[in-house]
Structures are given as structure tokens and as C-alpha cells.
Amino acid sequence: MLRYTLMRLGIFVGCLVVVWGLVYSGVAPRGLGDSNGMWVVMLALVVSAPISFVVLRKERDRASVQVVARVDRMKSNLEANRNQEDEAADAASGKTSGTTSGEVPSEVSGDVSGARSRTA
């Protein structure tokens, strides 16, 4: 992931140098008034985005695989912690079996929304 970020930053810096050179040599137009620096940065962003999209495709795929693996690992750890907390809470309350967190007890009936009906 860090490699992809550094490569993308490198492409941006390269484009920034090229655009800056083109603006100061008069090939590309200058910004209005004091906006020249912002113009150069914005133009470098516009130029570097499609370049990095095409050139860094394989590196972006590698980075996304790493991100997906990290997210899956965190989800499994979170689920394990939830199950551990549920088991501890069940043991503390004296339950050995019963409903799981996703089930609704059979004693509960009525309106699902929780609103009471007004009957006179």
C-alpha cells in the first residue's frame, strides 16, 4: 500500500515539475494574478491522474488485495470478539442455551414497529 502511494506521489511530482516548466516557458498558459501556483498544482493533478490510472494498474490491484485481506481479518477478529462477549454474558447470567443474538424469543408478539395500537 505504501509502495502504491509513493509511486502515485512520484508521478504527481514529475507532472508538477513538467507543468511548472511548461508554464514558466510560456508553452502553457499562466494563471490569473496570484493564482499561478494553484493553476500549476491543479493542472499537474489533472495530468497525473490518468497517467497513474493506466501506469499503476497492477500495483493498485496488489494494494487492493492487501486492503481486502486486512478488512477480512479485522471482520473475523471482530466476530470472534462478539462471540466471546456473548458467551461470557450468557455464562454470567446463568444461561447455558437459549436464543442467539439474531433470534426473537417466542414470547414476544405484536407489532414489530414497537408502536401501540389505539383501540377504544
Tab-separated table of all heavy atoms in Angstrom, residues 68-95:
chain	number	residue	atom	x	y	z
A	68	VAL	N	-8.218	-5.727	1.118
A	68	VAL	CA	-9.301	-6.696	1.312
A	68	VAL	C	-8.905	-7.735	2.355
A	68	VAL	O	-9.717	-8.088	3.221
A	68	VAL	CB	-9.674	-7.356	-0.033
A	68	VAL	CG1	-10.554	-8.568	0.179
A	68	VAL	CG2	-10.362	-6.354	-0.931
A	69	ALA	N	-7.684	-8.212	2.315
A	69	ALA	CA	-7.223	-9.196	3.301
A	69	ALA	C	-7.232	-8.599	4.707
A	69	ALA	O	-7.656	-9.257	5.667
A	69	ALA	CB	-5.824	-9.682	2.947
A	70	ARG	N	-6.810	-7.357	4.831
A	70	ARG	CA	-6.799	-6.696	6.134
A	70	ARG	C	-8.213	-6.499	6.669
A	70	ARG	O	-8.492	-6.723	7.847
A	70	ARG	CB	-6.079	-5.346	6.034
A	70	ARG	CG	-5.851	-4.701	7.381
A	70	ARG	CD	-5.110	-3.388	7.262
A	70	ARG	NE	-3.876	-3.555	6.525
A	70	ARG	CZ	-3.257	-2.582	5.878
A	70	ARG	NH1	-3.767	-1.363	5.879
A	70	ARG	NH2	-2.128	-2.805	5.242
A	71	VAL	N	-9.138	-6.102	5.804
A	71	VAL	CA	-10.528	-5.900	6.225
A	71	VAL	C	-11.157	-7.230	6.626
A	71	VAL	O	-11.855	-7.306	7.645
A	71	VAL	CB	-11.339	-5.214	5.104
A	71	VAL	CG1	-12.825	-5.272	5.384
A	71	VAL	CG2	-10.899	-3.771	4.933
A	72	ASP	N	-10.921	-8.285	5.862
A	72	ASP	CA	-11.454	-9.599	6.212
A	72	ASP	C	-10.910	-10.085	7.550
A	72	ASP	O	-11.648	-10.654	8.359
A	72	ASP	CB	-11.140	-10.617	5.119
A	72	ASP	CG	-11.958	-10.399	3.862
A	72	ASP	OD1	-12.979	-9.674	3.929
A	72	ASP	OD2	-11.563	-10.934	2.807
A	73	ARG	N	-9.617	-9.856	7.785
A	73	ARG	CA	-9.021	-10.258	9.059
A	73	ARG	C	-9.646	-9.483	10.222
A	73	ARG	O	-9.962	-10.058	11.267
A	73	ARG	CB	-7.510	-10.041	9.006
A	73	ARG	CG	-6.775	-10.632	10.200
A	73	ARG	CD	-5.270	-10.478	10.084
A	73	ARG	NE	-4.886	-9.075	10.130
A	73	ARG	CZ	-4.236	-8.427	9.177
A	73	ARG	NH1	-3.892	-9.052	8.082
A	73	ARG	NH2	-3.919	-7.153	9.313
A	74	MET	N	-9.870	-8.184	10.026
A	74	MET	CA	-10.483	-7.381	11.090
A	74	MET	C	-11.926	-7.811	11.350
A	74	MET	O	-12.371	-7.843	12.500
A	74	MET	CB	-10.430	-5.901	10.735
A	74	MET	CG	-9.072	-5.298	10.851
A	74	MET	SD	-9.136	-3.550	10.484
A	74	MET	CE	-7.512	-3.051	10.991
A	75	LYS	N	-12.663	-8.144	10.276
A	75	LYS	CA	-14.034	-8.618	10.448
A	75	LYS	C	-14.071	-9.924	11.229
A	75	LYS	O	-14.915	-10.100	12.107
A	75	LYS	CB	-14.701	-8.813	9.088
A	75	LYS	CG	-15.170	-7.548	8.443
A	75	LYS	CD	-15.863	-7.861	7.124
A	75	LYS	CE	-16.339	-6.621	6.430
A	75	LYS	NZ	-17.005	-6.946	5.148
A	76	SER	N	-13.178	-10.850	10.918
A	76	SER	CA	-13.165	-12.125	11.635
A	76	SER	C	-12.768	-11.920	13.097
A	76	SER	O	-13.330	-12.566	13.983
A	76	SER	CB	-12.241	-13.125	10.948
A	76	SER	OG	-10.904	-12.699	11.016
A	77	ASN	N	-11.824	-11.032	13.360
A	77	ASN	CA	-11.452	-10.736	14.749
A	77	ASN	C	-12.612	-10.101	15.500
A	77	ASN	O	-12.854	-10.420	16.672
A	77	ASN	CB	-10.240	-9.804	14.795
A	77	ASN	CG	-8.968	-10.501	14.391
A	77	ASN	OD1	-8.885	-11.717	14.390
A	77	ASN	ND2	-7.955	-9.708	14.040
A	78	LEU	N	-13.346	-9.205	14.845
A	78	LEU	CA	-14.487	-8.561	15.481
A	78	LEU	C	-15.576	-9.577	15.783
A	78	LEU	O	-16.169	-9.563	16.868
A	78	LEU	CB	-15.026	-7.445	14.583
A	78	LEU	CG	-16.192	-6.638	15.117
A	78	LEU	CD1	-15.788	-5.916	16.391
A	78	LEU	CD2	-16.667	-5.647	14.078
A	79	GLU	N	-15.830	-10.472	14.838
A	79	GLU	CA	-16.845	-11.507	15.051
A	79	GLU	C	-16.429	-12.448	16.183
A	79	GLU	O	-17.261	-12.858	17.000
A	79	GLU	CB	-17.078	-12.296	13.771
A	79	GLU	CG	-18.225	-13.269	13.849
A	79	GLU	CD	-19.570	-12.602	14.097
A	79	GLU	OE1	-19.768	-11.459	13.656
A	79	GLU	OE2	-20.414	-13.233	14.768
A	80	ALA	N	-15.158	-12.793	16.254
A	80	ALA	CA	-14.672	-13.644	17.345
A	80	ALA	C	-14.842	-12.948	18.688
A	80	ALA	O	-15.242	-13.568	19.676
A	80	ALA	CB	-13.210	-14.010	17.109
A	81	ASN	N	-14.555	-11.649	18.739
A	81	ASN	CA	-14.733	-10.898	19.981
A	81	ASN	C	-16.203	-10.820	20.373
A	81	ASN	O	-16.543	-10.929	21.550
A	81	ASN	CB	-14.156	-9.491	19.844
A	81	ASN	CG	-12.656	-9.481	19.831
A	81	ASN	OD1	-12.014	-10.439	20.261
A	81	ASN	ND2	-12.067	-8.403	19.326
A	82	ARG	N	-17.079	-10.632	19.389
A	82	ARG	CA	-18.518	-10.593	19.696
A	82	ARG	C	-18.986	-11.924	20.254
A	82	ARG	O	-19.735	-11.965	21.241
A	82	ARG	CB	-19.315	-10.271	18.432
A	82	ARG	CG	-19.304	-8.840	18.046
A	82	ARG	CD	-20.200	-8.633	16.849
A	82	ARG	NE	-20.088	-7.273	16.362
A	82	ARG	CZ	-20.385	-6.887	15.148
A	82	ARG	NH1	-20.835	-7.769	14.273
A	82	ARG	NH2	-20.260	-5.638	14.790
A	83	ASN	N	-18.562	-13.025	19.628
A	83	ASN	CA	-18.959	-14.337	20.122
A	83	ASN	C	-18.421	-14.595	21.522
A	83	ASN	O	-19.107	-15.160	22.362
A	83	ASN	CB	-18.476	-15.432	19.167
A	83	ASN	CG	-19.221	-15.407	17.854
A	83	ASN	OD1	-20.328	-14.882	17.764
A	83	ASN	ND2	-18.609	-15.961	16.823
A	84	GLN	N	-17.207	-14.157	21.772
A	84	GLN	CA	-16.616	-14.329	23.090
A	84	GLN	C	-17.387	-13.525	24.141
A	84	GLN	O	-17.643	-14.008	25.230
A	84	GLN	CB	-15.151	-13.904	23.055
A	84	GLN	CG	-14.382	-14.194	24.305
A	84	GLN	CD	-12.920	-13.787	24.178
A	84	GLN	OE1	-12.557	-13.073	23.247
A	84	GLN	NE2	-12.098	-14.248	25.086
A	85	GLU	N	-17.792	-12.296	23.795
A	85	GLU	CA	-18.567	-11.485	24.724
A	85	GLU	C	-19.943	-12.087	24.967
A	85	GLU	O	-20.439	-12.074	26.094
A	85	GLU	CB	-18.705	-10.063	24.187
A	85	GLU	CG	-17.431	-9.261	24.229
A	85	GLU	CD	-17.577	-7.904	23.557
A	85	GLU	OE1	-18.689	-7.577	23.113
A	85	GLU	OE2	-16.573	-7.178	23.500
A	86	ASP	N	-20.579	-12.624	23.910
A	86	ASP	CA	-21.884	-13.259	24.079
A	86	ASP	C	-21.789	-14.470	24.985
A	86	ASP	O	-22.649	-14.673	25.854
A	86	ASP	CB	-22.459	-13.670	22.716
A	86	ASP	CG	-22.896	-12.479	21.881
A	86	ASP	OD1	-23.024	-11.372	22.449
A	86	ASP	OD2	-23.095	-12.663	20.667
A	87	GLU	N	-20.747	-15.280	24.799
A	87	GLU	CA	-20.570	-16.457	25.648
A	87	GLU	C	-20.319	-16.051	27.095
A	87	GLU	O	-20.845	-16.663	28.019
A	87	GLU	CB	-19.422	-17.308	25.131
A	87	GLU	CG	-19.717	-17.986	23.805
A	87	GLU	CD	-18.489	-18.614	23.175
A	87	GLU	OE1	-17.404	-18.565	23.805
A	87	GLU	OE2	-18.612	-19.143	22.064
A	88	ALA	N	-19.546	-15.010	27.307
A	88	ALA	CA	-19.274	-14.543	28.668
A	88	ALA	C	-20.538	-13.990	29.314
A	88	ALA	O	-20.794	-14.225	30.497
A	88	ALA	CB	-18.178	-13.481	28.648
A	89	ALA	N	-21.341	-13.273	28.542
A	89	ALA	CA	-22.586	-12.715	29.084
A	89	ALA	C	-23.574	-13.832	29.403
A	89	ALA	O	-24.256	-13.788	30.432
A	89	ALA	CB	-23.202	-11.736	28.097
A	90	ASP	N	-23.641	-14.851	28.545
A	90	ASP	CA	-24.524	-15.984	28.806
A	90	ASP	C	-24.072	-16.743	30.045
A	90	ASP	O	-24.897	-17.168	30.855
A	90	ASP	CB	-24.572	-16.924	27.603
A	90	ASP	CG	-25.319	-16.322	26.435
A	90	ASP	OD1	-26.023	-15.306	26.636
A	90	ASP	OD2	-25.182	-16.855	25.308
A	91	ALA	N	-22.784	-16.935	30.207
A	91	ALA	CA	-22.255	-17.646	31.368
A	91	ALA	C	-22.506	-16.842	32.648
A	91	ALA	O	-22.821	-17.412	33.690
A	91	ALA	CB	-20.767	-17.914	31.200
A	92	ALA	N	-22.400	-15.537	32.565
A	92	ALA	CA	-22.606	-14.700	33.745
A	92	ALA	C	-24.068	-14.688	34.168
A	92	ALA	O	-24.377	-14.615	35.350
A	92	ALA	CB	-22.125	-13.280	33.471
A	93	SER	N	-24.974	-14.772	33.219
A	93	SER	CA	-26.395	-14.731	33.562
A	93	SER	C	-26.952	-16.108	33.881
A	93	SER	O	-28.100	-16.239	34.249
A	93	SER	CB	-27.202	-14.093	32.429
A	93	SER	OG	-27.158	-14.926	31.282
A	94	GLY	N	-26.146	-17.156	33.724
A	94	GLY	CA	-26.566	-18.498	34.067
A	94	GLY	C	-27.234	-19.239	32.933
A	94	GLY	O	-27.737	-20.328	33.124
A	95	LYS	N	-27.254	-18.658	31.756
A	95	LYS	CA	-27.852	-19.330	30.604
A	95	LYS	C	-26.846	-20.333	30.040
A	95	LYS	O	-25.694	-20.022	29.850
A	95	LYS	CB	-28.190	-18.329	29.504
A	95	LYS	CG	-29.305	-17.401	29.844
A	95	LYS	CD	-29.576	-16.520	28.643
A	95	LYS	CE	-30.636	-15.494	28.926
A	95	LYS	NZ	-30.855	-14.613	27.785
